[in-house]
C-alpha cells in the first residue's frame, strides 16, 4: 500500500513537472520578439529603454541592433531592409539618410495606427519630414536641435561672454580670439560635425528654413545664403585657420568630442546628443564647465530657423515585418513614456507631453553644476525651436553627398567658393535629371 502511494506520488510529480514545462514552453512560444535597428550605441540610451520595456513582461520583447551611423553603416541597414532581414523597426538619423527609405517604400504607412491611437504627429511631436502625401511614415523621437557648445573657462579667459544672441561674423570673431598655439599644442576656436553631409549648408538653412529647397537642384544653390555659408566655412578653416579643417577631421577620423573635451577646441556646432560625452568623465575627463549658446544668425536674414530642420531619430516600421501591430506598440512606448531612461544619456524627447523638469534632471544628472552652466543649458535646451521641413525626394541623399564632395574640395583649397557652387549646380542638376 505504501509502495502504491509512493508510485502515485511519483506519477503526479512527473505530470506536474511536465505541465509546468509545457506552460513555460507555451509562454516562451507566445512571446513576440521585435527587432529594432538604430544608429545610437546601445549604451547611449537604447539599452536602457529596451531593459525597461522588457521588464514590463507585456508579451513583447525588444532586441536592439546597432548600426554605425555613417555611410557604410547606413548602407548596411538599407541592404538588410531590401534583402528581407528580420527587422521590425528601424531608426533614421537626419533627412538625407531618411529620404531614400521613405521614397523607396521602405517605411510602413503609420496613419491608420496613429489615428486609432489618437496621435497627431505634428501636435504631439512637432514638425515632421516623415509626412508624404498627407500620410505619416515615421515618428520623430528625439529633439535634436542644433546649438553651440562653449568651453566657458576659455571664453572667460579670452575676455568674452557666453552669447544669448549673435551673428555668424561674431562667431567667426570668437573663434579667432579663442585660437592659440601651434602644432600639437594648438587650440582651435571651433569645430563642426563633418559626419553630416549637409554641415556646410547649415548656416544657409538657419536663414532660409524650408525655402532652402529647390526643384532644380534639390537645395537652392542659386540663393546667396548657400554661397555665404560655404564662404563662412572657408574663411574660418582656410583663411583664419581658427576651425579644425575638414580634411584633418576626415583623414584622422577625429570626432568633435575628441577635440572639445580635451581642450583642443573651444566651441563646437553640435547638439544635445553630445551631453552623454560631457557626463562621461571617465573616457572624457575635463575640468571645465560647458555653456550653451543659440545658433548664430546672419545680419540681413529675416527668418531664423534651427538648422537641424526637425527632431531626429525617426522610428519607422518595416513594411516587410510580420509583426506590425506589436511593432507599433513598441514604437508608441519608445516615443512617449518609454523614452525617459534615454534622457540620462543626453537625449531630449520630441514628445511634447514629456515633463521638462524630469527631463532636465535626468539629462544633466546629479553633478550638473560641475559640468554645465545650468542657466545657459535651460535657456537653450528648452527654447521654442523654429523647425522646418523640405521635400523628401528620391535623390536627396545622393545630391547631398555630391554637394559635400565639392564643398570638401573648396575647404581643402582645391577650388574657390564660386567654383565649388557652380560645380555643385552641375552635379545636382545631372543627378536630378536622371530621376
Amino acid at each position: 500500500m505504501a509502495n502504491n502511494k509512493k508510485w502515485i506520488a511519483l506519477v503526479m510529480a512527473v505530470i506536474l513537472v511536465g505541465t509546468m514545462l509545457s506552460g513555460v514552453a507555451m509562454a516562451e512560444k507566445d512571446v513576440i520578439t521585435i527587432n529594432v535597428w538604430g544608429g545610437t550605441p546601445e549604451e547611449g540610451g537604447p539599452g536602457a529603454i529596451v531593459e525597461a520595456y522588457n521588464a514590463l513582461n507585456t508579451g513583447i520583447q525588444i532586441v536592439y541592433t546597432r548600426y554605425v551611423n555613417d555611410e557604410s553603416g547606413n548602407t548596411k541597414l538599407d541592404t538588410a531592409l531590401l534583402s528581407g532581414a528580420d527587422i521590425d523597426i528601424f531608426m533614421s538619423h537626419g533627412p538625407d539618410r531618411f529620404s531614400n527609405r521613405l521614397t523607396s517604400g521602405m517605411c510602413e504607412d503609420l496613419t491608420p495606427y496613429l489615428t486609432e491611437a489618437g496621435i497627431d504627429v505634428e501636435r504631439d511631436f512637432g514638425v515632421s519630414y516623415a509626412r508624404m502625401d498627407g500620410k505619416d511614415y515615421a515618428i520623430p523621437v528625439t529633439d535634436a536641435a542644433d546649438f553651440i557648445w562653449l568651453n566657458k573657462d576659455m571664453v572667460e579667459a579670452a575676455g568674452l561672454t557666453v552669447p544669448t544672441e549673435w551673428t555668424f561674423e561674431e562667431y567667426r570673431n570668437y573663434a579667432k580670439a579663442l585660437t592659440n598655439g601651434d602644432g600639437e599644442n594648438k587650440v582651435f576656436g571651433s569645430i563642426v560635425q563633418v559626419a553630416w553631409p549637409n554641415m556646410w549648408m547649415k548656416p544657409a538653412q538657419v536663414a532660409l528654413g524650408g525655402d532652402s529647397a529647390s526643384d532644380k537642384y534639390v537645395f537652392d544653390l542659386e540663393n546667396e545664403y548657400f554661397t555665404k555659408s560655404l564662404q563662412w566655412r572657408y574663411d574660418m578653416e582656410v583663411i583664419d585657420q581658427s576651425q579644425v579643417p575638414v580634411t584633418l577631421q576626415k583623414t584622422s577620423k577625429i570626432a568633435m568630442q575628441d577635440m572639445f573635451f580635451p581642450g583642443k577646441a573651444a566651441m563646437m556646432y553640435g547638439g544635445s546628443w553630445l551631453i552623454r560625452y560631457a557626463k562621461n568623465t571617465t573616457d572624457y575627463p575635463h575640468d571645465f564647465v560647458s555653456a550653451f549658446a543659440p545658433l548664430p544668425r546672419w545680419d540681413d536674414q529675416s527668418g531664423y530657423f534651427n538648422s537641424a530642420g526637425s527632431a531626429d531619430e525617426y522610428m519607422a516600421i518595416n513594411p516587410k515585418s510580420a509583426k506590425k501591430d506589436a511593432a507599433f506598440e513598441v514604437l508608441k512606448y519608445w516615443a512617449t513614456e518609454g523614452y525617459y531612461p534615454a534622457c540620462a544619456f543626453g537625449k531630449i524627447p520630441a514628445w511634447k507631453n514629456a515633463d521638462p523638469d524630469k527631463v532636465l534632471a535626468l539629462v544633466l544628472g546629479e553633478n550638473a553644476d560641475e559640468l554645465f552652466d545650468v542657466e545657459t543649458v535651460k535657456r537653450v535646451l528648452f527654447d521654442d525651436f523654429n523647425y522646418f521641413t523640405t521635400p523628401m525626394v528620391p535623390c536627396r541623399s545622393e545630391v547631398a553627398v555630391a554637394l559635400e564632395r565639392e564643398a570638401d574640395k573648396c575647404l581643402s583649397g582645391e577650388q574657390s567658393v564660386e567654383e565649388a557652387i557652380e560645380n555643385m549646380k552641375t552635379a545636382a542638376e545631372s543627378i536630378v535629371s536622371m530621376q
Side-chain angles (χ1 to χ4, degrees):
M1 185 72 177
N3 287 335
N4 285 341
K5 288 183 177 179
K6 289 181 180 179
W7 177 251
I8 292 171
L10 179 61
V11 171
M12 293 298 293
V14 170
I15 293 172
L16 179 61
V17 170
T19 302
M20 291 172 64
L21 290 174
S22 175
V24 170
M26 182 68 71
E28 289 179 349
K29 186 178 180 180
D30 289 345
V31 170
I32 300 172
T33 299
I34 296 298
N35 292 297
V36 179
W37 280 40
T40 302
E42 189 171 0
E43 65 274 14
I49 296 175
V50 171
E51 183 179 1
Y53 183 83
N54 288 347
L56 297 174
N57 294 316
T58 63
I60 301 172
Q61 293 285 287
I62 306 172
V63 174
Y64 181 79
T65 300
R66 189 245 177 148
Y67 68 88
V68 179
N69 186 29
D70 59 12
E71 197 65 35
S72 62
N74 278 276
T75 299
K76 178 181 178 180
L77 171 61
D78 292 338
T79 301
L81 289 168
L82 291 170
S83 64
D86 189 9
I87 301 174
D88 300 295
I89 296 172
F90 63 91
M91 295 188 201
S92 298
H93 305 266
D96 298 324
R97 307 288 192 195
F98 182 69
S99 60
N100 282 354
R101 293 166 192 153
L102 175 62
T103 56
S104 300
M106 295 184 188
C107 306
E108 178 73 9
D109 176 13
L110 300 181
T111 309
Y113 295 97
L114 294 167
T115 300
E116 184 176 345
I119 295 173
D120 181 306
V121 173
E122 188 163 341
R123 179 196 67 204
D124 299 331
F125 298 92
V127 173
S128 168
Y129 52 68
R131 176 167 289 178
M132 185 172 67
D133 299 329
K135 298 178 181 179
D136 291 295
Y137 290 86
I139 294 180
V141 299
T142 306
D143 195 333
D146 291 338
F147 54 83
I148 308 301
W149 286 66
L150 302 97
N151 180 320
K152 191 178 180 183
D153 291 1
M154 288 186 180
V155 169
E156 292 180 342
L160 303 171
T161 58
V162 178
T164 55
E165 58 179 12
W166 51 345
T167 65
F168 280 102
E169 185 60 28
E170 287 172 329
Y171 183 99
R172 180 185 175 189
N173 291 335
Y174 264 61
K176 286 192 286 187
L178 293 165
T179 300
N180 61 81
D182 51 44
E184 293 184 358
N185 296 319
K186 181 166 184 174
V187 174
F188 288 91
S190 173
I191 186 170
V192 299
Q193 172 64 285
V194 297
W196 299 331
N198 66 333
M199 181 65 232
W200 73 270
M201 69 174 77
K202 277 180 174 280
Q205 293 174 323
V206 170
L208 299 172
D211 290 337
S212 60
S214 160
D215 291 336
K216 187 175 183 180
Y217 305 117
V218 180
F219 303 96
D220 190 7
L221 298 171
E222 293 180 343
N223 191 292
E224 63 172 339
Y225 282 112
F226 280 86
T227 301
K228 292 169 69 171
S229 183
L230 184 57
Q231 185 71 55
W232 179 74
R233 284 281 301 276
Y234 181 87
D235 289 343
M236 293 181 66
E237 294 181 25
V238 180
I239 304 300
D240 303 338
Q241 297 183 19
S242 61
Q243 183 161 272
V244 180
V246 64
T247 49
L248 175 61
Q249 280 189 263
K250 289 192 172 182
T251 56
S252 304
K253 296 185 178 180
I254 301 174
M256 291 196 297
Q257 61 270 18
D258 296 329
M259 293 288 286
F260 182 77
F261 293 110
K264 292 294 184 180
M267 300 188 296
M268 59 180 175
Y269 194 123
S272 58
W273 55 276
L274 290 157
I275 290 175
R276 69 178 184 266
Y277 300 110
K279 295 169 66 177
N280 181 5
T281 54
T282 300
D283 296 327
Y284 298 92
H286 58 286
D287 58 2
F288 63 85
V289 169
S290 296
F292 294 175
L295 293 177
R297 60 186 300 152
W298 298 100
D299 285 325
D300 56 352
Q301 74 182 63
S302 54
Y304 180 54
F305 301 89
N306 192 277
S307 57
S310 75
D312 195 20
E313 291 190 349
Y314 276 69
M315 293 189 77
I317 293 177
N318 181 4
K320 297 178 181 179
S321 170
K323 301 161 281 186
K324 295 186 181 71
D325 290 345
F328 183 76
E329 290 304 311
V330 169
L331 193 158
K332 183 172 60 174
Y333 170 87
W334 194 301
T336 57
E337 292 286 353
Y339 200 73
Y340 283 118
C343 296
F345 301 89
K347 299 281 191 175
I348 311 296
W351 186 43
K352 292 184 178 295
N353 290 327
D355 182 340
D357 293 329
K358 182 177 181 179
V359 169
L360 185 64
L362 288 168
V363 166
L364 298 186
E366 296 179 356
N367 57 340
D369 291 328
E370 297 176 15
L371 298 172
F372 303 99
D373 180 345
V374 177
E375 287 307 310
T376 66
V377 171
K378 289 180 180 178
R379 184 168 62 239
V380 172
L381 212 53
F382 295 101
D383 192 9
D384 186 15
F385 298 112
N386 192 13
Y387 287 132
F388 65 93
T389 60
T390 51
M392 294 291 103
V393 295
C395 60
R396 179 186 175 117
S397 180
E398 187 180 355
V399 169
V401 171
L403 303 191
E404 179 191 29
R405 192 178 301 120
E406 297 300 330
D408 286 355
K409 289 179 185 178
C410 171
L411 298 174
S412 62
E414 295 180 38
Q415 60 184 352
S416 68
V417 171
E418 292 73 19
E419 288 170 334
I421 295 294
E422 288 305 312
N423 288 336
M424 287 179 187
K425 291 177 182 178
T426 300
E429 193 170 12
S430 174
I431 294 170
V432 171
S433 68
M434 298 293 288
Q435 301 304 304

